[in-house]
Amino acid sequence: MAEKKSWSCMSGAVLCVFMGIFLQQPAASAAVDCNSVTQQITPCATYLTQGTPVPLEDSSCCQGVQSIYGDATTTEEIQHICTCLKNEAINYNLNDRALESLPSNCGLQLSFSITKDIDCSSISL
C-alpha cells in the first residue's frame, strides 16, 4: 500500500484510464480477462509510463507480472494477455522498451515480447 501512495499523480491518472477501458472489455476466458491483467500490472504503472525505476524481481510489480503469466495455461489465455497488454500500449503510448523488458526484468523468459505491433494470434505455448 505504501508503494501506491508514492505514485505520481500522472501514474494514478493513467491507471484510472486503464481501468476504465478494460472494465468494458469482454473476457476471452474465465481464467484471464483484461481487468485481471490491468489489476496485476497496476504496480508497474510508473515503470510502463516513464521507463524507470526498473522493477526488482521481488517487487509487487513483478509479482503481478509473474502471476499473470503463471495463471495462463492455454494458448488462448496467453494470446488474450498479449492483446490486453498490446491495447494498453497503443492506447496510452506506453514506453516501448519498458513494455518489452518487463517480463525479463521480472525473471520470466517468454518466447515473445509485447510490442505495439505484435500479432498476438501468432503466439503459442
Side-chain angles (χ1 to χ4, degrees):
M1 291 265 177
E3 258 186 59
K4 290 183 182 177
K5 291 181 182 178
S6 68
W7 284 4
S8 70
C9 290
M10 181 181 161
S11 295
V14 168
L15 171 64
C16 289
V17 175
F18 285 164
M19 294 293 288
I21 282 192
F22 291 105
L23 286 172
Q24 298 172 11
Q25 298 274 332
S29 157
V32 178
D33 65 32
C34 286
N35 285 335
S36 298
V37 172
T38 300
Q39 288 172 355
Q40 293 292 334
I41 65 163
T42 295
C44 305
T46 300
Y47 178 65
L48 290 173
T49 56
Q50 299 174 11
T52 63
V54 174
L56 301 174
E57 282 190 43
D58 64 348
S59 68
S60 59
C61 169
C62 285
Q63 289 171 0
V65 172
Q66 292 163 353
S67 177
I68 289 168
Y69 288 104
D71 291 345
T73 58
T74 67
T75 295
E76 179 186 40
E77 289 172 338
I78 291 290
Q79 290 173 347
H80 191 66
I81 290 167
C82 173
T83 300
C84 293
L85 293 173
K86 176 182 174 177
N87 287 340
E88 285 190 26
I90 292 168
N91 292 331
Y92 301 104
N93 197 29
L94 296 183
N95 181 293
D96 293 327
R97 288 186 184 171
L99 185 64
E100 288 182 55
S101 65
L102 184 60
S104 62
N105 286 337
C106 292
L108 297 174
Q109 300 303 317
L110 303 178
S111 61
F112 59 92
S113 294
I114 302 294
T115 62
K116 293 174 184 166
D117 61 350
I118 189 171
D119 176 4
C120 295
S121 67
S122 69
I123 297 171
S124 62
L125 291 178

